[in-house]
Amino acid sequence: MAPNEHRGRYRTARFDARNGIPDAAGWLLGHPATTPVPGAGATPERRPMRERSTDPLVEIDEYRNVTDLLIQRAAAAADHIAFDVAGEHADEPWRPVTTMEFLREVRSLAKGLMAHGVAVGDAVAIMAPTRYEWAVSDLAAWFAGAVVVPVYETSSVDQVTAIARDAAPRLGIAGSSAHAEALSRGFAAAGAGALGVWTMDEGERSLTALRERAGEVDDEELESRRTAADLDTPATYVYTSGTTGEPKGAILTHRNFVGQVLNIAAAYREVVREDGNTVIFLPLAHVLARGLQLICLASGMRIAHLADTSRVVGVLEDRRPTFLVVVPRVLEKIRAAAGAKAQAKRLGGLWRAAERTAISWGRAEETGVTPGPLLRARRALFDRLFYRRLRALMGGRLAYILSGGATLDAEVALLFRGMGAPVVEGYGLTETTAPLTGNLPGDIRAGTVGIPLPGSTVRIAEDGEILARGVGVFAGYRDPSHDAEAFVDGFFRTGDLGRLDEHGHLVLAGRVKDVIVTSGGKTVVPHAWEQAVESDPLVAHAIMVGEGRPYLSALLVLDPEPLAAWATAHGVALPPARPGGIGALRDSALQDRLQRVVDAANLRVSRAEQVRRFTIVVADLDDTRLVTPTMKIKRRALLAEGTDVLADLYR
């Protein structure tokens, strides 16, 4: 089999763009008027695109389930290095693992799970940091015919209990003894986990101990279990992170995963390739990281895992990835850190000029304009001073960075493109099995999250909500009562607002539930204003408020690291951090600094969308009650915690 070639049958992509009818969405999202002018000879204005589809590139019906991805890859490239496994200590060398070695480990653990009593359809919970053993456990559970239930390693016992009550796992796999304790307590409270909890770390009840029972199960029995599930069998129950409400258990099938893995790999052959490699440091409990891992495994892209993000710079320099998946905040932090370092060396002015140059270069590349001699000269200068050093910090070989999980500011995307590390922004949800849309190499448009990926359709509803249909869209929630509001006309209601631009690229515009109606009846979508404020390195999260109020206000949640650096530089003594909850931070210099940020954001929106007052707050951004594992704020939880702070804004 040729490199990057799957056994599925490829088809040529066909893009289907359909115009819709004018409605309230244009008013809500700022679309131009689309109603034709009546009268003889009147020329109708161009209507906004309302739906776009992309045909699948790969037929998947010949696949039995997700495990076929590994079986076929091992048959095609048994000796290819699939993983680099970190040692227990930072100074230990990485251990290469071939595809066949990985398959043997998966089969051995699957037999151990079966010998211990895991039956077809049983739920197996995995609670661990991002590490190689997560991948082994995930595939082993599928080989044993089980359904995988990922649990974020930061989850509290109460959160584990809630998941266990709904999913009823029979067995748990934990990363460490601390994770095992959380699983055990949650299982006990929920009356689940009859087969106990086993750890990835060595010990009496470790995965090694489970593997010792592999001899009790023969290969024929294992193969029968591996092939028990078909494409429409549930593969996993994934619990949403709950930014706007209580988590829900989404049922993702083997068809969802196989369809996404093969079609996305086909669409991104330039990125996902056998001679490439990546470092995964997003939580594997998140469907984006898990989907990425399967795509790389099926396509031969070498994978290294990293749980300790404090080591990320050293690991990137060592592993030298060709491709990375990050959340937008990571890119914003890199930009802020570069600026702070330049400022410390009294090169702040030069760095700001370098930023402007990179953005101009990125915009020229995007629009196909040939840069003039002055821009070329400036970029060459700043490449020597800044850009190549930043690329070196990321390993020096990055061809692309994929950003997902939240909206990335267009200026940041252009900046990294201009510095030689183009960002491919995509969009998806747990319920769409990760990416639903994505920019493609050669067609990257900053400020958009791309076109529907192969096998997917995006439709914009009359109220501006993004609707989705396709191979990745889930089978429904564990609680069927949640399904009634989740679907309309065969489309999944994402809960996000957006529009399709003139090129058919999706532009996000916020959450449906975040729309604010003031006491004066003005309807405001806060996304644009919040994103503008969050582009400042000091601001981790901006939350506009004003529902039923006479004017708009905001809470600005500061990022602890840039805040500490700013305080040191300006001789400001910060109050001690308080664990949990939020608190107002009152400092006149800081207030003036952020007032300028707010004023600039106000200039980017209409008068009705401008914020009149704001309060600076500090919060424990490690508190899972307030922040999701992918660094998104839980708006309702924050507002509930900050009742007193909010009240001050309207006194």
Side-chain angles (χ1 to χ4, degrees), residues 81 144 632:
I81 304 300
K632 289 183 286 190

Coordinates of all heavy atoms in Angstrom, one line a residue, residues 81 144 632:
I81 N 7.5 3.4 12.8 CA 7.4 3.9 14.2 C 6.1 4.7 14.3 O 5.9 5.7 13.6 CB 8.6 4.8 14.5 CG1 9.9 4.1 14.3 CG2 8.5 5.3 16.0 CD1 10.1 2.8 15.2
A144 N -11.8 -5.5 23.0 CA -12.5 -6.4 23.9 C -14.0 -6.2 23.7 O -14.8 -6.9 24.4 CB -12.1 -6.1 25.3
K632 N -11.8 26.9 28.2 CA -13.0 27.7 27.9 C -13.6 28.0 29.2 O -13.8 27.2 30.1 CB -13.9 27.1 26.9 CG -13.4 27.0 25.5 CD -14.5 26.5 24.5 CE -14.6 25.0 24.7 NZ -15.4 24.3 23.7

